[in-house]
Amino acid sequence: MIDRSVFKLTLPILFGYIPLGMAFGVLFVTQLDYPWWGATLMSLAIYAGAGQILAVSLLAVHASLLEVFVALFVLNARHLFYGLSLLGRFRGAGWRKGYLIFGLTDETYSLLTSRHRTDDTEAEQRRDSLITLYNQSYWVIGSTLGAWLGRAVNFDSTGIEFALVALFIVLTIEQYKVLGQMLPIWIGAAAAGLSLAILPSDQQLIGAVVLATLSLLAHYRFHRPSVSAGSQEHSHG
Amino acid sequence: MDNLSYLLEFIAVGTIATFATRVIPFAFFSRHSEHPLIQHLGRFLPAAVMSLLVVIFLLRSGNWSAPVLGLDALVPSLVVVGLHLWRRNALLSIIAGTACYMAIQQSGLG
């Protein structure tokens, strides 16, 4: 089931996920005394980049299962907010919905919310699931390769993970072109700046997402009168 | 070899914790997907999240001490922005920016 347009759309994720997945795989087999397929299984079942790298250090110290739950839940808590903005988009996706929700990483969220869509909801949801599936395959392949090669990895791919930063830049520009306004972009940048300044590095991402969401809630309160006036006009007209 | 059943329990718990963060909004808020507040978030949150990801990952990709002052990450980023505004070809912008970053990092300029 090769869909060329989906493959092309997910190429930047391929460039990001293969080396990052390999980094995770190498870490897994060099830091821990478990078989290689543990890395593959984690990428199939957990599927969270930063979460899995944290998991390696938790496995190394034999953390309790309660600690594991709390640590991974807190680290991934930003996903709570991603879902809020996709409620309508995944509605009625049937059996695909479970997988769409399961596969909602930062990168997949970025692609799904930025890409051009037609009015054919079912076809678009099918493409959303394919995008999610392709992305996860890259991650699983990368981590498995890393776990196989282990310490033997010596090709110089230093810096290739910048593909993800470049992807986020491109998607920010695309978001701007869709919305026609800079305000949400400034809100996100300011939220990131503030959380970088005041929070330790493991809490910066979730801190920034919470700050941005709160700012958008405040933005909503200020703009609500005009929005409801607009929709009333619409229903009368 | 460490205890395999611990590894499997660990993966099961990690899977549940991660999936919980992704499914909770759909489990508890899906009836409210037409609510104007949810619509507002759906419209603006992706742009805000994208730009905060840029800022956070950009800061982590660069060397911010003198004399580099983050130019090792800022120059490739400007390549991405410039190319994208000019040609609006996502793949081209991403490949060129990444190649630029890799060249800088591997040549030791970063």
Side-chain angles (χ1 to χ4, degrees):
Chain A
M1 192 161 46
I2 300 288
D3 183 320
R4 273 198 187 181
S5 62
V6 169
F7 179 66
K8 204 178 150 198
L9 203 64
T10 58
L11 261 183
I13 315 272
L14 174 88
F15 294 137
Y17 273 12
I18 296 281
L20 287 180
M22 286 182 71
F24 160 72
V26 171
L27 202 64
F28 185 90
V29 292
T30 52
Q31 304 290 308
L32 305 169
D33 194 15
Y34 287 115
W36 63 268
W37 52 261
T40 308
L41 187 59
M42 281 171 81
S43 294
L44 282 171
I46 300 180
Y47 187 35
Q52 288 176 226
I53 288 171
L54 174 72
V56 171
S57 50
L58 292 172
L59 275 169
V61 298
H62 240 81
S64 76
L65 294 178
L66 180 64
E67 281 176 290
V68 174
F69 185 88
V70 172
L72 286 187
F73 188 88
V74 171
L75 184 70
N76 291 316
R78 64 185 181 284
H79 298 139
L80 291 166
F81 300 90
Y82 294 176
L84 278 182
S85 60
L86 289 172
L87 292 175
R89 179 158 306 168
F90 290 175
R91 164 161 281 185
W95 60 271
R96 293 196 179 92
K97 189 169 172 181
Y99 184 64
L100 282 167
I101 294 171
F102 165 81
L104 207 53
T105 60
D106 294 332
E107 291 75 16
T108 301
Y109 175 73
S110 309
L111 275 192
L112 296 190
T113 54
S114 307
R115 73 186 189 85
H116 176 74
R117 312 178 77 84
T118 62
D119 288 336
D120 185 349
T121 313
E122 211 208 317
E124 293 304 335
Q125 284 171 343
R126 195 165 55 234
R127 300 194 78 211
D128 283 347
S129 335
L130 270 185
I131 291 172
T132 309
L133 181 66
Y134 279 39
N135 290 349
Q136 191 181 11
S137 324
Y138 306 148
W139 180 249
V140 171
I141 291 168
S143 26
T144 305
L145 280 178
W148 280 347
L149 299 174
R151 296 194 184 104
V153 180
N154 65 354
F155 70 94
D156 196 354
S157 61
T158 307
I160 199 171
E161 69 285 353
F162 190 80
L164 292 178
V165 184
L167 172 71
F168 293 141
I169 294 174
V170 163
L171 295 178
T172 304
I173 296 174
E174 292 297 325
Q175 288 281 342
Y176 168 72
K177 299 216 173 196
V178 171
L179 290 174
Q181 52 176 307
M182 282 299 287
L183 186 69
I185 292 167
W186 288 127
I187 286 177
L194 191 61
S195 75
L196 284 166
I198 62 177
L199 293 173
S201 73
D202 60 336
Q203 292 165 19
Q204 286 163 353
L205 202 47
I206 175 67
V209 172
V210 169
L211 274 173
T213 306
L214 291 177
S215 313
L216 285 174
L217 294 182
H219 176 224
Y220 170 77
R221 284 196 66 109
F222 282 118
H223 285 74
R224 196 177 174 188
S226 65
V227 169
S228 52
S231 60
Q232 267 171 9
E233 258 170 46
H234 204 74
S235 59
H236 287 302
Chain B
M1 180 164 310
D2 289 329
N3 189 350
L4 265 189
S5 67
Y6 171 68
L7 175 68
L8 294 177
E9 285 166 12
F10 182 104
I11 294 177
V13 170
T15 302
I16 293 167
T18 305
F19 186 64
T21 62
R22 292 172 181 163
V23 79
I24 283 172
F26 295 92
F28 294 100
F29 293 96
S30 64
R31 270 188 234 154
H32 307 291
S33 66
E34 302 299 320
H35 189 283
L37 177 58
I38 297 291
Q39 301 250 325
H40 182 82
L41 283 181
R43 184 156 172 239
F44 294 112
L45 190 61
V49 167
M50 236 52 72
S51 80
L52 72 84
L53 287 171
V54 169
V55 173
I56 290 180
F57 282 84
L58 195 60
L59 262 93
R60 290 180 184 172
S61 315
N63 173 3
W64 297 90
S65 56
V68 181
L69 297 174
L71 284 175
D72 59 330
L74 288 175
V75 170
S77 304
L78 289 177
V79 168
V80 177
V81 173
L83 262 180
H84 200 66
L85 291 177
W86 179 34
R87 305 299 297 267
R88 211 174 168 190
N89 177 337
L91 215 49
L92 176 72
S93 320
I94 290 165
I95 291 174
T98 306
C100 175
Y101 181 81
M102 289 174 74
I104 292 174
Q105 296 299 325
Q106 294 187 12
S107 67
L109 291 173

